[in-house]
Amino acid sequence: MHREHAIRTAACIGGFCARHLLATLVVVLVLCVLWTVTYFALLIWAAVSGGGLGSPASYPLGLLLSLVGGTVFSLTLFLPATALAEWIAKRRGLPILAQIPISIAILAALCLLVVGSAMAAGVQASFRSGAAGFAVLFLAHLLPLGLYWWVAQSGPLLVSLYRQLCKLPWSKD
């Protein structure tokens, strides 16, 4: 019995890690695709309007920034927000979709922590600039958090949907 419990625990941990790794990869991939589309749209615009084409290093540096930024934000904001929301929802017996507002609230708290730390370090001088920094940081990360959450929770959502469908009276025939 102890061995089965250890295997089940390892499978849960492995599944958790795989889901969040996939979510991080998807966020980074989407950021890289968005950068690529933006870069080539700007390149075409510069060619059509007769403007300068810019530095040849812009595209690879933008990709590197997308890769690093997407990874950092996924690991420091999205992973803690979704993992903590998942833990809270499971402890409280809440449905899986209840994790969405919980993860948004946790993201807001994490953004507030980041901006508060920046204000304490003297990077943001006034309350107004701190509030603006919080608003930009929070709003800019809502959509990527949603993408991250849906990718990370797609497996459990499908399992939950399958279990609900199996409970329906017509599925017992």
PDB file of all heavy atoms in Angstrom, residues 114-155:
ATOM      1  N   VAL A 114       5.468  43.254  -6.127  1.00  0.00           N
ATOM      2  CA  VAL A 114       6.558  43.709  -7.002  1.00  0.00           C
ATOM      3  C   VAL A 114       6.658  45.230  -6.982  1.00  0.00           C
ATOM      4  O   VAL A 114       7.748  45.801  -6.809  1.00  0.00           O
ATOM      5  CB  VAL A 114       6.363  43.185  -8.442  1.00  0.00           C
ATOM      6  CG1 VAL A 114       7.297  43.871  -9.421  1.00  0.00           C
ATOM      7  CG2 VAL A 114       6.556  41.678  -8.497  1.00  0.00           C
ATOM      8  N   VAL A 115       5.524  45.909  -7.161  1.00  0.00           N
ATOM      9  CA  VAL A 115       5.529  47.372  -7.198  1.00  0.00           C
ATOM     10  C   VAL A 115       5.879  47.933  -5.820  1.00  0.00           C
ATOM     11  O   VAL A 115       6.630  48.916  -5.713  1.00  0.00           O
ATOM     12  CB  VAL A 115       4.171  47.907  -7.701  1.00  0.00           C
ATOM     13  CG1 VAL A 115       4.076  49.414  -7.537  1.00  0.00           C
ATOM     14  CG2 VAL A 115       3.976  47.524  -9.157  1.00  0.00           C
ATOM     15  N   GLY A 116       5.376  47.310  -4.762  1.00  0.00           N
ATOM     16  CA  GLY A 116       5.723  47.749  -3.406  1.00  0.00           C
ATOM     17  C   GLY A 116       7.214  47.609  -3.134  1.00  0.00           C
ATOM     18  O   GLY A 116       7.835  48.480  -2.519  1.00  0.00           O
ATOM     19  N   SER A 117       7.803  46.525  -3.629  1.00  0.00           N
ATOM     20  CA  SER A 117       9.255  46.338  -3.471  1.00  0.00           C
ATOM     21  C   SER A 117      10.022  47.393  -4.259  1.00  0.00           C
ATOM     22  O   SER A 117      11.037  47.910  -3.775  1.00  0.00           O
ATOM     23  CB  SER A 117       9.653  44.944  -3.952  1.00  0.00           C
ATOM     24  OG  SER A 117       9.020  43.961  -3.198  1.00  0.00           O
ATOM     25  N   ALA A 118       9.535  47.716  -5.440  1.00  0.00           N
ATOM     26  CA  ALA A 118      10.189  48.752  -6.247  1.00  0.00           C
ATOM     27  C   ALA A 118      10.077  50.112  -5.560  1.00  0.00           C
ATOM     28  O   ALA A 118      11.035  50.896  -5.572  1.00  0.00           O
ATOM     29  CB  ALA A 118       9.570  48.811  -7.644  1.00  0.00           C
ATOM     30  N   MET A 119       8.936  50.380  -4.950  1.00  0.00           N
ATOM     31  CA  MET A 119       8.780  51.649  -4.231  1.00  0.00           C
ATOM     32  C   MET A 119       9.675  51.694  -2.993  1.00  0.00           C
ATOM     33  O   MET A 119      10.265  52.725  -2.691  1.00  0.00           O
ATOM     34  CB  MET A 119       7.319  51.867  -3.850  1.00  0.00           C
ATOM     35  CG  MET A 119       6.431  52.182  -5.046  1.00  0.00           C
ATOM     36  SD  MET A 119       4.709  52.447  -4.602  1.00  0.00           S
ATOM     37  CE  MET A 119       4.812  54.046  -3.810  1.00  0.00           C
ATOM     38  N   ALA A 120       9.782  50.578  -2.291  1.00  0.00           N
ATOM     39  CA  ALA A 120      10.640  50.528  -1.103  1.00  0.00           C
ATOM     40  C   ALA A 120      12.108  50.689  -1.475  1.00  0.00           C
ATOM     41  O   ALA A 120      12.883  51.270  -0.715  1.00  0.00           O
ATOM     42  CB  ALA A 120      10.418  49.219  -0.354  1.00  0.00           C
ATOM     43  N   ALA A 121      12.480  50.194  -2.653  1.00  0.00           N
ATOM     44  CA  ALA A 121      13.868  50.314  -3.117  1.00  0.00           C
ATOM     45  C   ALA A 121      14.152  51.682  -3.718  1.00  0.00           C
ATOM     46  O   ALA A 121      15.296  51.977  -4.057  1.00  0.00           O
ATOM     47  CB  ALA A 121      14.170  49.224  -4.134  1.00  0.00           C
ATOM     48  N   GLY A 122      13.117  52.503  -3.866  1.00  0.00           N
ATOM     49  CA  GLY A 122      13.313  53.843  -4.390  1.00  0.00           C
ATOM     50  C   GLY A 122      13.224  53.945  -5.908  1.00  0.00           C
ATOM     51  O   GLY A 122      13.491  54.993  -6.470  1.00  0.00           O
ATOM     52  N   VAL A 123      12.852  52.869  -6.575  1.00  0.00           N
ATOM     53  CA  VAL A 123      12.733  52.899  -8.029  1.00  0.00           C
ATOM     54  C   VAL A 123      11.519  53.728  -8.438  1.00  0.00           C
ATOM     55  O   VAL A 123      11.583  54.504  -9.389  1.00  0.00           O
ATOM     56  CB  VAL A 123      12.621  51.460  -8.603  1.00  0.00           C
ATOM     57  CG1 VAL A 123      12.382  51.480 -10.099  1.00  0.00           C
ATOM     58  CG2 VAL A 123      13.864  50.664  -8.254  1.00  0.00           C
ATOM     59  N   GLN A 124      10.411  53.576  -7.742  1.00  0.00           N
ATOM     60  CA  GLN A 124       9.189  54.349  -7.982  1.00  0.00           C
ATOM     61  C   GLN A 124       9.109  55.394  -6.874  1.00  0.00           C
ATOM     62  O   GLN A 124       8.985  55.055  -5.708  1.00  0.00           O
ATOM     63  CB  GLN A 124       7.967  53.436  -7.945  1.00  0.00           C
ATOM     64  CG  GLN A 124       8.081  52.232  -8.844  1.00  0.00           C
ATOM     65  CD  GLN A 124       7.178  52.345 -10.045  1.00  0.00           C
ATOM     66  OE1 GLN A 124       6.208  53.055 -10.031  1.00  0.00           O
ATOM     67  NE2 GLN A 124       7.533  51.642 -11.089  1.00  0.00           N
ATOM     68  N   ALA A 125       9.168  56.668  -7.263  1.00  0.00           N
ATOM     69  CA  ALA A 125       9.281  57.732  -6.272  1.00  0.00           C
ATOM     70  C   ALA A 125       7.955  58.103  -5.616  1.00  0.00           C
ATOM     71  O   ALA A 125       7.925  58.440  -4.443  1.00  0.00           O
ATOM     72  CB  ALA A 125       9.902  58.969  -6.913  1.00  0.00           C
ATOM     73  N   SER A 126       6.841  58.058  -6.344  1.00  0.00           N
ATOM     74  CA  SER A 126       5.589  58.541  -5.783  1.00  0.00           C
ATOM     75  C   SER A 126       4.529  57.450  -5.791  1.00  0.00           C
ATOM     76  O   SER A 126       4.654  56.443  -6.471  1.00  0.00           O
ATOM     77  CB  SER A 126       5.092  59.743  -6.591  1.00  0.00           C
ATOM     78  OG  SER A 126       4.702  59.333  -7.887  1.00  0.00           O
ATOM     79  N   PHE A 127       3.479  57.733  -5.028  1.00  0.00           N
ATOM     80  CA  PHE A 127       2.351  56.812  -5.001  1.00  0.00           C
ATOM     81  C   PHE A 127       1.692  56.736  -6.367  1.00  0.00           C
ATOM     82  O   PHE A 127       1.282  55.669  -6.807  1.00  0.00           O
ATOM     83  CB  PHE A 127       1.336  57.246  -3.941  1.00  0.00           C
ATOM     84  CG  PHE A 127       0.124  56.364  -3.902  1.00  0.00           C
ATOM     85  CD1 PHE A 127       0.183  55.122  -3.296  1.00  0.00           C
ATOM     86  CD2 PHE A 127      -1.070  56.763  -4.486  1.00  0.00           C
ATOM     87  CE1 PHE A 127      -0.923  54.289  -3.270  1.00  0.00           C
ATOM     88  CE2 PHE A 127      -2.178  55.940  -4.472  1.00  0.00           C
ATOM     89  CZ  PHE A 127      -2.108  54.705  -3.850  1.00  0.00           C
ATOM     90  N   ARG A 128       1.616  57.869  -7.047  1.00  0.00           N
ATOM     91  CA  ARG A 128       0.992  57.909  -8.375  1.00  0.00           C
ATOM     92  C   ARG A 128       1.760  57.026  -9.361  1.00  0.00           C
ATOM     93  O   ARG A 128       1.163  56.265 -10.119  1.00  0.00           O
ATOM     94  CB  ARG A 128       0.921  59.338  -8.891  1.00  0.00           C
ATOM     95  CG  ARG A 128       0.351  59.419 -10.291  1.00  0.00           C
ATOM     96  CD  ARG A 128       0.217  60.825 -10.773  1.00  0.00           C
ATOM     97  NE  ARG A 128      -1.041  61.322 -10.220  1.00  0.00           N
ATOM     98  CZ  ARG A 128      -1.429  62.561 -10.291  1.00  0.00           C
ATOM     99  NH1 ARG A 128      -0.658  63.466 -10.855  1.00  0.00           N
ATOM    100  NH2 ARG A 128      -2.595  62.931  -9.797  1.00  0.00           N
ATOM    101  N   SER A 129       3.077  57.123  -9.356  1.00  0.00           N
ATOM    102  CA  SER A 129       3.858  56.284 -10.276  1.00  0.00           C
ATOM    103  C   SER A 129       3.782  54.809  -9.862  1.00  0.00           C
ATOM    104  O   SER A 129       3.776  53.918 -10.710  1.00  0.00           O
ATOM    105  CB  SER A 129       5.311  56.744 -10.347  1.00  0.00           C
ATOM    106  OG  SER A 129       5.964  56.555  -9.109  1.00  0.00           O
ATOM    107  N   GLY A 130       3.699  54.545  -8.571  1.00  0.00           N
ATOM    108  CA  GLY A 130       3.535  53.173  -8.098  1.00  0.00           C
ATOM    109  C   GLY A 130       2.191  52.598  -8.502  1.00  0.00           C
ATOM    110  O   GLY A 130       2.099  51.450  -8.938  1.00  0.00           O
ATOM    111  N   ALA A 131       1.136  53.403  -8.389  1.00  0.00           N
ATOM    112  CA  ALA A 131      -0.194  52.945  -8.786  1.00  0.00           C
ATOM    113  C   ALA A 131      -0.249  52.704 -10.294  1.00  0.00           C
ATOM    114  O   ALA A 131      -0.836  51.714 -10.750  1.00  0.00           O
ATOM    115  CB  ALA A 131      -1.253  53.969  -8.373  1.00  0.00           C
ATOM    116  N   ALA A 132       0.373  53.591 -11.054  1.00  0.00           N
ATOM    117  CA  ALA A 132       0.414  53.405 -12.508  1.00  0.00           C
ATOM    118  C   ALA A 132       1.229  52.160 -12.863  1.00  0.00           C
ATOM    119  O   ALA A 132       0.842  51.389 -13.754  1.00  0.00           O
ATOM    120  CB  ALA A 132       1.002  54.638 -13.182  1.00  0.00           C
ATOM    121  N   GLY A 133       2.335  51.946 -12.166  1.00  0.00           N
ATOM    122  CA  GLY A 133       3.152  50.750 -12.394  1.00  0.00           C
ATOM    123  C   GLY A 133       2.388  49.482 -12.079  1.00  0.00           C
ATOM    124  O   GLY A 133       2.464  48.503 -12.820  1.00  0.00           O
ATOM    125  N   PHE A 134       1.624  49.508 -10.972  1.00  0.00           N
ATOM    126  CA  PHE A 134       0.808  48.351 -10.626  1.00  0.00           C
ATOM    127  C   PHE A 134      -0.232  48.082 -11.704  1.00  0.00           C
ATOM    128  O   PHE A 134      -0.423  46.940 -12.133  1.00  0.00           O
ATOM    129  CB  PHE A 134       0.112  48.551  -9.272  1.00  0.00           C
ATOM    130  CG  PHE A 134      -0.960  47.534  -9.012  1.00  0.00           C
ATOM    131  CD1 PHE A 134      -0.626  46.244  -8.623  1.00  0.00           C
ATOM    132  CD2 PHE A 134      -2.302  47.857  -9.183  1.00  0.00           C
ATOM    133  CE1 PHE A 134      -1.611  45.294  -8.396  1.00  0.00           C
ATOM    134  CE2 PHE A 134      -3.287  46.910  -8.969  1.00  0.00           C
ATOM    135  CZ  PHE A 134      -2.936  45.630  -8.573  1.00  0.00           C
ATOM    136  N   ALA A 135      -0.925  49.134 -12.140  1.00  0.00           N
ATOM    137  CA  ALA A 135      -1.980  48.970 -13.149  1.00  0.00           C
ATOM    138  C   ALA A 135      -1.415  48.398 -14.450  1.00  0.00           C
ATOM    139  O   ALA A 135      -1.991  47.468 -15.030  1.00  0.00           O
ATOM    140  CB  ALA A 135      -2.671  50.308 -13.417  1.00  0.00           C
ATOM    141  N   VAL A 136      -0.281  48.915 -14.884  1.00  0.00           N
ATOM    142  CA  VAL A 136       0.327  48.430 -16.124  1.00  0.00           C
ATOM    143  C   VAL A 136       0.779  46.978 -15.961  1.00  0.00           C
ATOM    144  O   VAL A 136       0.512  46.131 -16.818  1.00  0.00           O
ATOM    145  CB  VAL A 136       1.503  49.339 -16.555  1.00  0.00           C
ATOM    146  CG1 VAL A 136       2.335  48.695 -17.653  1.00  0.00           C
ATOM    147  CG2 VAL A 136       0.987  50.696 -16.994  1.00  0.00           C
ATOM    148  N   LEU A 137       1.455  46.689 -14.873  1.00  0.00           N
ATOM    149  CA  LEU A 137       1.953  45.329 -14.638  1.00  0.00           C
ATOM    150  C   LEU A 137       0.796  44.328 -14.547  1.00  0.00           C
ATOM    151  O   LEU A 137       0.828  43.276 -15.181  1.00  0.00           O
ATOM    152  CB  LEU A 137       2.790  45.288 -13.355  1.00  0.00           C
ATOM    153  CG  LEU A 137       3.486  43.976 -13.023  1.00  0.00           C
ATOM    154  CD1 LEU A 137       4.530  43.644 -14.081  1.00  0.00           C
ATOM    155  CD2 LEU A 137       4.136  44.056 -11.644  1.00  0.00           C
ATOM    156  N   PHE A 138      -0.218  44.672 -13.786  1.00  0.00           N
ATOM    157  CA  PHE A 138      -1.353  43.764 -13.603  1.00  0.00           C
ATOM    158  C   PHE A 138      -2.127  43.564 -14.902  1.00  0.00           C
ATOM    159  O   PHE A 138      -2.382  42.427 -15.317  1.00  0.00           O
ATOM    160  CB  PHE A 138      -2.276  44.298 -12.503  1.00  0.00           C
ATOM    161  CG  PHE A 138      -3.505  43.470 -12.282  1.00  0.00           C
ATOM    162  CD1 PHE A 138      -3.411  42.200 -11.747  1.00  0.00           C
ATOM    163  CD2 PHE A 138      -4.753  43.961 -12.607  1.00  0.00           C
ATOM    164  CE1 PHE A 138      -4.542  41.419 -11.545  1.00  0.00           C
ATOM    165  CE2 PHE A 138      -5.890  43.196 -12.406  1.00  0.00           C
ATOM    166  CZ  PHE A 138      -5.782  41.925 -11.874  1.00  0.00           C
ATOM    167  N   LEU A 139      -2.496  44.651 -15.560  1.00  0.00           N
ATOM    168  CA  LEU A 139      -3.304  44.545 -16.778  1.00  0.00           C
ATOM    169  C   LEU A 139      -2.546  43.883 -17.922  1.00  0.00           C
ATOM    170  O   LEU A 139      -3.132  43.141 -18.709  1.00  0.00           O
ATOM    171  CB  LEU A 139      -3.816  45.928 -17.196  1.00  0.00           C
ATOM    172  CG  LEU A 139      -4.826  46.566 -16.231  1.00  0.00           C
ATOM    173  CD1 LEU A 139      -5.169  47.977 -16.671  1.00  0.00           C
ATOM    174  CD2 LEU A 139      -6.074  45.712 -16.096  1.00  0.00           C
ATOM    175  N   ALA A 140      -1.240  44.133 -17.998  1.00  0.00           N
ATOM    176  CA  ALA A 140      -0.442  43.524 -19.063  1.00  0.00           C
ATOM    177  C   ALA A 140      -0.301  42.012 -18.887  1.00  0.00           C
ATOM    178  O   ALA A 140      -0.028  41.311 -19.858  1.00  0.00           O
ATOM    179  CB  ALA A 140       0.939  44.165 -19.114  1.00  0.00           C
ATOM    180  N   HIS A 141      -0.504  41.523 -17.679  1.00  0.00           N
ATOM    181  CA  HIS A 141      -0.310  40.099 -17.423  1.00  0.00           C
ATOM    182  C   HIS A 141      -1.614  39.311 -17.255  1.00  0.00           C
ATOM    183  O   HIS A 141      -1.572  38.099 -17.035  1.00  0.00           O
ATOM    184  CB  HIS A 141       0.596  39.904 -16.210  1.00  0.00           C
ATOM    185  CG  HIS A 141       1.995  40.280 -16.504  1.00  0.00           C
ATOM    186  ND1 HIS A 141       2.473  41.538 -16.262  1.00  0.00           N
ATOM    187  CD2 HIS A 141       3.010  39.592 -17.088  1.00  0.00           C
ATOM    188  CE1 HIS A 141       3.726  41.592 -16.653  1.00  0.00           C
ATOM    189  NE2 HIS A 141       4.068  40.439 -17.171  1.00  0.00           N
ATOM    190  N   LEU A 142      -2.752  39.965 -17.386  1.00  0.00           N
ATOM    191  CA  LEU A 142      -4.016  39.252 -17.271  1.00  0.00           C
ATOM    192  C   LEU A 142      -4.218  38.257 -18.409  1.00  0.00           C
ATOM    193  O   LEU A 142      -4.569  37.099 -18.169  1.00  0.00           O
ATOM    194  CB  LEU A 142      -5.186  40.238 -17.244  1.00  0.00           C
ATOM    195  CG  LEU A 142      -5.549  40.803 -15.882  1.00  0.00           C
ATOM    196  CD1 LEU A 142      -6.689  41.797 -16.007  1.00  0.00           C
ATOM    197  CD2 LEU A 142      -5.891  39.714 -14.897  1.00  0.00           C
ATOM    198  N   LEU A 143      -4.001  38.690 -19.634  1.00  0.00           N
ATOM    199  CA  LEU A 143      -4.189  37.801 -20.782  1.00  0.00           C
ATOM    200  C   LEU A 143      -3.187  36.640 -20.777  1.00  0.00           C
ATOM    201  O   LEU A 143      -3.592  35.487 -20.955  1.00  0.00           O
ATOM    202  CB  LEU A 143      -4.102  38.606 -22.078  1.00  0.00           C
ATOM    203  CG  LEU A 143      -4.864  38.058 -23.266  1.00  0.00           C
ATOM    204  CD1 LEU A 143      -6.328  37.851 -22.957  1.00  0.00           C
ATOM    205  CD2 LEU A 143      -4.708  38.987 -24.451  1.00  0.00           C
ATOM    206  N   PRO A 144      -1.893  36.910 -20.558  1.00  0.00           N
ATOM    207  CA  PRO A 144      -0.965  35.771 -20.472  1.00  0.00           C
ATOM    208  C   PRO A 144      -1.281  34.824 -19.313  1.00  0.00           C
ATOM    209  O   PRO A 144      -1.104  33.612 -19.444  1.00  0.00           O
ATOM    210  CB  PRO A 144       0.410  36.419 -20.282  1.00  0.00           C
ATOM    211  CG  PRO A 144       0.273  37.787 -20.826  1.00  0.00           C
ATOM    212  CD  PRO A 144      -1.162  38.177 -20.577  1.00  0.00           C
ATOM    213  N   LEU A 145      -1.767  35.358 -18.187  1.00  0.00           N
ATOM    214  CA  LEU A 145      -2.170  34.490 -17.081  1.00  0.00           C
ATOM    215  C   LEU A 145      -3.320  33.591 -17.509  1.00  0.00           C
ATOM    216  O   LEU A 145      -3.331  32.400 -17.194  1.00  0.00           O
ATOM    217  CB  LEU A 145      -2.586  35.303 -15.849  1.00  0.00           C
ATOM    218  CG  LEU A 145      -3.172  34.479 -14.690  1.00  0.00           C
ATOM    219  CD1 LEU A 145      -2.103  33.597 -14.057  1.00  0.00           C
ATOM    220  CD2 LEU A 145      -3.815  35.371 -13.660  1.00  0.00           C
ATOM    221  N   GLY A 146      -4.280  34.161 -18.242  1.00  0.00           N
ATOM    222  CA  GLY A 146      -5.396  33.354 -18.736  1.00  0.00           C
ATOM    223  C   GLY A 146      -4.925  32.237 -19.647  1.00  0.00           C
ATOM    224  O   GLY A 146      -5.365  31.086 -19.521  1.00  0.00           O
ATOM    225  N   LEU A 147      -4.015  32.556 -20.552  1.00  0.00           N
ATOM    226  CA  LEU A 147      -3.459  31.531 -21.441  1.00  0.00           C
ATOM    227  C   LEU A 147      -2.740  30.462 -20.627  1.00  0.00           C
ATOM    228  O   LEU A 147      -2.944  29.261 -20.838  1.00  0.00           O
ATOM    229  CB  LEU A 147      -2.500  32.176 -22.444  1.00  0.00           C
ATOM    230  CG  LEU A 147      -1.732  31.226 -23.357  1.00  0.00           C
ATOM    231  CD1 LEU A 147      -2.687  30.495 -24.291  1.00  0.00           C
ATOM    232  CD2 LEU A 147      -0.677  31.985 -24.142  1.00  0.00           C
ATOM    233  N   TYR A 148      -1.918  30.896 -19.693  1.00  0.00           N
ATOM    234  CA  TYR A 148      -1.168  29.969 -18.844  1.00  0.00           C
ATOM    235  C   TYR A 148      -2.129  29.061 -18.080  1.00  0.00           C
ATOM    236  O   TYR A 148      -1.948  27.848 -18.023  1.00  0.00           O
ATOM    237  CB  TYR A 148      -0.281  30.757 -17.872  1.00  0.00           C
ATOM    238  CG  TYR A 148       0.637  29.903 -17.046  1.00  0.00           C
ATOM    239  CD1 TYR A 148       1.948  29.717 -17.424  1.00  0.00           C
ATOM    240  CD2 TYR A 148       0.210  29.295 -15.876  1.00  0.00           C
ATOM    241  CE1 TYR A 148       2.811  28.933 -16.670  1.00  0.00           C
ATOM    242  CE2 TYR A 148       1.049  28.509 -15.121  1.00  0.00           C
ATOM    243  CZ  TYR A 148       2.354  28.332 -15.516  1.00  0.00           C
ATOM    244  OH  TYR A 148       3.192  27.552 -14.769  1.00  0.00           O
ATOM    245  N   TRP A 149      -3.167  29.657 -17.470  1.00  0.00           N
ATOM    246  CA  TRP A 149      -4.098  28.872 -16.667  1.00  0.00           C
ATOM    247  C   TRP A 149      -4.816  27.836 -17.518  1.00  0.00           C
ATOM    248  O   TRP A 149      -4.933  26.680 -17.130  1.00  0.00           O
ATOM    249  CB  TRP A 149      -5.113  29.792 -15.978  1.00  0.00           C
ATOM    250  CG  TRP A 149      -5.969  29.037 -15.016  1.00  0.00           C
ATOM    251  CD1 TRP A 149      -5.710  28.806 -13.696  1.00  0.00           C
ATOM    252  CD2 TRP A 149      -7.198  28.358 -15.298  1.00  0.00           C
ATOM    253  NE1 TRP A 149      -6.707  28.044 -13.149  1.00  0.00           N
ATOM    254  CE2 TRP A 149      -7.629  27.753 -14.112  1.00  0.00           C
ATOM    255  CE3 TRP A 149      -7.972  28.214 -16.441  1.00  0.00           C
ATOM    256  CZ2 TRP A 149      -8.798  27.022 -14.028  1.00  0.00           C
ATOM    257  CZ3 TRP A 149      -9.132  27.475 -16.364  1.00  0.00           C
ATOM    258  CH2 TRP A 149      -9.544  26.883 -15.163  1.00  0.00           C
ATOM    259  N   TRP A 150      -5.324  28.245 -18.684  1.00  0.00           N
ATOM    260  CA  TRP A 150      -6.071  27.308 -19.528  1.00  0.00           C
ATOM    261  C   TRP A 150      -5.193  26.169 -20.013  1.00  0.00           C
ATOM    262  O   TRP A 150      -5.644  25.023 -20.083  1.00  0.00           O
ATOM    263  CB  TRP A 150      -6.731  28.035 -20.701  1.00  0.00           C
ATOM    264  CG  TRP A 150      -7.981  28.729 -20.275  1.00  0.00           C
ATOM    265  CD1 TRP A 150      -8.135  30.065 -20.059  1.00  0.00           C
ATOM    266  CD2 TRP A 150      -9.243  28.140 -19.978  1.00  0.00           C
ATOM    267  NE1 TRP A 150      -9.411  30.330 -19.641  1.00  0.00           N
ATOM    268  CE2 TRP A 150     -10.119  29.168 -19.590  1.00  0.00           C
ATOM    269  CE3 TRP A 150      -9.726  26.837 -19.996  1.00  0.00           C
ATOM    270  CZ2 TRP A 150     -11.443  28.933 -19.229  1.00  0.00           C
ATOM    271  CZ3 TRP A 150     -11.051  26.605 -19.644  1.00  0.00           C
ATOM    272  CH2 TRP A 150     -11.895  27.646 -19.265  1.00  0.00           C
ATOM    273  N   VAL A 151      -3.944  26.464 -20.349  1.00  0.00           N
ATOM    274  CA  VAL A 151      -3.049  25.385 -20.782  1.00  0.00           C
ATOM    275  C   VAL A 151      -2.729  24.463 -19.606  1.00  0.00           C
ATOM    276  O   VAL A 151      -2.774  23.239 -19.735  1.00  0.00           O
ATOM    277  CB  VAL A 151      -1.755  25.956 -21.414  1.00  0.00           C
ATOM    278  CG1 VAL A 151      -0.738  24.860 -21.661  1.00  0.00           C
ATOM    279  CG2 VAL A 151      -2.070  26.690 -22.706  1.00  0.00           C
ATOM    280  N   ALA A 152      -2.407  25.051 -18.456  1.00  0.00           N
ATOM    281  CA  ALA A 152      -2.038  24.239 -17.289  1.00  0.00           C
ATOM    282  C   ALA A 152      -3.209  23.410 -16.773  1.00  0.00           C
ATOM    283  O   ALA A 152      -3.006  22.307 -16.261  1.00  0.00           O
ATOM    284  CB  ALA A 152      -1.502  25.131 -16.172  1.00  0.00           C
ATOM    285  N   GLN A 153      -4.421  23.911 -16.917  1.00  0.00           N
ATOM    286  CA  GLN A 153      -5.584  23.201 -16.363  1.00  0.00           C
ATOM    287  C   GLN A 153      -6.371  22.420 -17.408  1.00  0.00           C
ATOM    288  O   GLN A 153      -7.405  21.834 -17.084  1.00  0.00           O
ATOM    289  CB  GLN A 153      -6.513  24.194 -15.658  1.00  0.00           C
ATOM    290  CG  GLN A 153      -5.891  24.865 -14.470  1.00  0.00           C
ATOM    291  CD  GLN A 153      -5.416  23.878 -13.420  1.00  0.00           C
ATOM    292  OE1 GLN A 153      -5.981  22.811 -13.226  1.00  0.00           O
ATOM    293  NE2 GLN A 153      -4.353  24.229 -12.739  1.00  0.00           N
ATOM    294  N   SER A 154      -5.909  22.396 -18.643  1.00  0.00           N
ATOM    295  CA  SER A 154      -6.668  21.698 -19.686  1.00  0.00           C
ATOM    296  C   SER A 154      -6.776  20.199 -19.394  1.00  0.00           C
ATOM    297  O   SER A 154      -7.833  19.604 -19.613  1.00  0.00           O
ATOM    298  CB  SER A 154      -6.056  21.943 -21.063  1.00  0.00           C
ATOM    299  OG  SER A 154      -4.725  21.468 -21.111  1.00  0.00           O
ATOM    300  N   GLY A 155      -5.726  19.587 -18.892  1.00  0.00           N
ATOM    301  CA  GLY A 155      -5.780  18.165 -18.545  1.00  0.00           C
ATOM    302  C   GLY A 155      -6.799  17.882 -17.456  1.00  0.00           C
ATOM    303  O   GLY A 155      -7.709  17.061 -17.643  1.00  0.00           O
TER     304      GLY A 155
END
